[in-house]
Amino acid sequence: MPATSVTRLVALGVVGALALAGCARGGDSTGRSDASSNSLIVASDLPLQGAGATQWQDTNKLIQLYLEQQGGKAGNYDVTLKIYDDSTAAKGAWDEAACAKNATDHVANTKEVAVMGTYNSGCAKIQLPTLNRDTSGPMLMVSPGNTNPGLTKKWETGEPEKFYPTGTRNYARVVTTDDYQGNAGATFASEELKVTKCFVLNDNQTYGLGVAKAFADSAKNLGIEIVGEQSWDAKQPNYTALFQSVKASGADCVYLSGIYENNGGQLIKDKFSVLGDNHKVKMMAPDGFTGYPDLLKLPQAEAMHLTFTGLPADELMKAGGPPAKLIEAYKEKYGSVPTGNFPLYGVAATQVILAAIAKSDGTRKGVTAAVLSGDGITIPKSESVTGKEIRIDPATGDTTSKDITIEIVKGGKETYVKAQAVD
């Protein structure tokens, strides 16, 4: 069957707003507003507490706005958004127990047919086997931000097979993976920043370890000497001693591989105090450090370079088309633009899910099969909120678009430097 166009998702004559469902830990047991067999739920599963909360709260608002623009319809089905939080206030970031509970709740809520999430790769690795074993599924997950390669291809031992115990895949993503992101960062460090010795730090989590490995391997191949690799402990009050070791190594580059919630602000401050500003000793980080207002407020972050697995919202707005129209509608409704670059990719993941629902028989099994069998799903450029065609490879669940953006923190803003598309 040909790939479904999102344009067909709007049913003629259907108008109305969607009710924004409450968090998974509130509301009724089903989260549905009616008992109609044509009423389906798409879950959003993101970290809504901690330093990155604003970006993901804005993502949910942007998805809700997009759904309202579609009349709350996907083909013949009414679609409602239900919001789950996979973080905790105590941790201020994604939480393993919250991710596990959400996965169980997704399966138990019989009207849910797909999960838009997660952001953190480690959370996805916890949830996927549970969703995969669902006897009425497997249940589809489409991520706007997971970049760990092992979710879809060979990376660590047993990956990706261990995430799909039934042998049938139920996962897709709309951003590319850290093997490409690490390579792009290393290439920029070598060719543009002219660094020769780099010290790689990671937060000892799934995402941080994965992108650190990709960056270090690529850097070595490009002639950059990796003078040290070490994990930082997010619970430490300061990292002065750590950066004294970095200083002793002679590094002219520090790569922070992880998420900003893991005490990234203190890490940046201590890098500055021991090694100087980011003109003297370059500092780079992957997209786990993008979209954080608190980071941008730090004077010590000035001239820090970031990579992002996609195209930035500012550049997409300049290009016009669907992304610009959606962001303008958001700005009109809320008085500001969404925080960070990921909200548009949250909508992109939702576009894939809605297209799958329209193409399916409305069952979990059918929605998953619409994405991961046959021709899969393609959202044409003319409708895509990423400004480019979104095509999901049905064999792997990966997007065929491999854009990586380089940014610099300048004047308290993430500023576009360049983008590259990996062949």
Side-chain angles (χ1 to χ4, degrees):
M1 182 180 290
T4 302
S5 167
V6 173
T7 305
R8 282 175 270 166
L9 300 184
V10 184
L12 294 175
V14 177
V15 182
L18 294 169
L20 183 64
C23 290
R25 295 164 183 82
D28 66 28
S29 61
T30 66
R32 64 182 184 267
S33 57
D34 61 66
S36 168
S37 60
N38 283 342
S39 178
L40 304 177
I41 293 171
V42 172
S44 168
D45 198 311
L46 298 169
L48 303 179
Q49 301 177 79
T54 302
Q55 177 167 224
W56 299 113
Q57 291 164 0
D58 288 358
T59 299
N60 283 330
K61 289 192 292 186
L62 192 64
I63 291 171
Q64 180 66 24
L65 176 60
Y66 179 79
L67 286 172
E68 290 169 358
Q69 291 178 344
Q70 306 311 305
K73 301 289 286 188
N76 294 321
Y77 299 99
D78 298 315
V79 179
T80 302
L81 180 69
K82 182 175 175 63
I83 294 175
Y84 289 73
D85 183 1
D86 58 39
S87 64
T88 61
K91 195 170 180 181
W94 75 279
D95 178 79
E96 291 87 346
C99 291
K101 183 181 186 305
N102 284 1
T104 301
D105 289 345
H106 292 318
V107 172
N109 187 346
T110 57
K111 282 291 183 178
E112 282 187 30
V113 292
V115 178
M116 195 299 301
T118 60
Y119 167 56
N120 301 98
S121 296
C123 186
K125 289 185 175 184
I126 291 170
Q127 291 196 8
L128 264 178
T130 299
L131 302 182
N132 189 259
R133 291 189 186 97
D134 171 32
T135 55
S136 63
M139 188 174 184
L140 177 68
M141 173 182 280
V142 182
S143 172
N146 294 160
T147 53
N148 184 267
L151 288 162
T152 54
K153 49 192 170 185
K154 291 192 179 299
W155 192 244
E156 301 294 342
T157 302
E159 295 180 345
E161 291 79 12
K162 66 183 181 182
F163 306 120
Y164 310 104
T166 67
T168 299
R169 295 207 182 197
N170 59 311
Y171 174 85
R173 49 183 156 197
V174 294
V175 293
T176 194
T177 50
D178 286 331
D179 40 351
Y180 296 112
Q181 180 171 205
N183 179 263
T187 300
F188 185 79
S190 175
E191 296 179 357
E192 306 289 338
L193 301 181
K194 306 298 183 184
V195 304
T196 59
K197 297 181 178 181
C198 202
F199 202 106
V200 180
L201 299 173
N202 70 78
D203 64 0
N204 205 32
Q205 290 189 352
T206 297
Y207 164 75
L209 290 166
V211 73
K213 177 182 183 296
F215 176 87
D217 288 349
S218 295
K220 291 172 187 175
N221 291 334
L222 292 165
I224 297 175
E225 182 183 356
I226 301 299
V227 293
E229 296 183 69
Q230 191 171 331
S231 297
W232 79 81
D233 181 353
K235 297 179 181 178
Q236 290 299 310
N238 70 77
Y239 302 98
T240 302
L242 173 60
F243 282 109
Q244 290 291 353
S245 297
V246 176
K247 185 175 183 179
S249 73
D252 57 1
C253 160
V254 177
Y255 189 76
L256 308 181
S257 182
I259 58 174
Y260 181 75
E261 288 98 334
N262 285 333
N263 212 9
Q266 189 63 47
L267 203 67
I268 291 170
K269 292 175 185 177
D270 291 338
K271 181 272 176 189
F272 181 90
S273 67
V274 176
L275 300 176
D277 65 31
N278 297 318
H279 298 288
K280 182 179 180 181
V281 176
K282 311 297 184 185
M283 181 165 59
M284 295 188 69
D287 54 11
F289 275 70
T290 63
Y292 293 89
D294 289 349
L295 182 154
L296 298 176
K297 292 175 185 176
L298 295 174
Q300 298 91 338
E302 183 74 10
M304 176 182 185
H305 283 92
L306 304 167
T307 55
F308 171 66
T309 49
L311 298 171
D314 286 349
E315 293 300 306
L316 291 175
M317 288 186 69
K318 289 178 186 177
K325 290 178 181 178
L326 183 60
I327 295 297
E328 284 300 325
Y330 182 97
K331 186 176 179 180
E332 182 177 344
K333 183 171 184 176
Y334 293 105
S336 63
V337 299
T339 300
N341 295 320
F342 278 108
L344 280 170
Y345 285 84
V347 178
T350 304
Q351 286 187 305
V352 171
I353 291 171
L354 295 181
I357 291 172
K359 186 179 177 180
S360 76
D361 59 2
T363 66
R364 290 177 178 175
K365 183 177 181 180
V367 172
T368 298
V371 178
L372 293 156
S373 65
D375 296 328
I377 294 294
T378 297
I379 311 299
K381 179 180 177 180
S382 61
E383 298 162 14
S384 166
V385 296
T386 69
K388 298 184 72 172
E389 178 186 88
I390 302 170
R391 188 169 75 81
I392 303 299
D393 182 345
T396 64
D398 278 328
T399 177
T400 57
S401 177
K402 299 179 175 65
D403 295 294
I404 305 288
T405 297
I406 306 292
E407 299 179 318
I408 187 171
V409 177
K410 190 175 182 181
K413 296 181 179 179
E414 289 181 27
T415 303
Y416 175 80
V417 176
K418 64 183 295 187
Q420 67 180 62
V422 183
D423 293 331

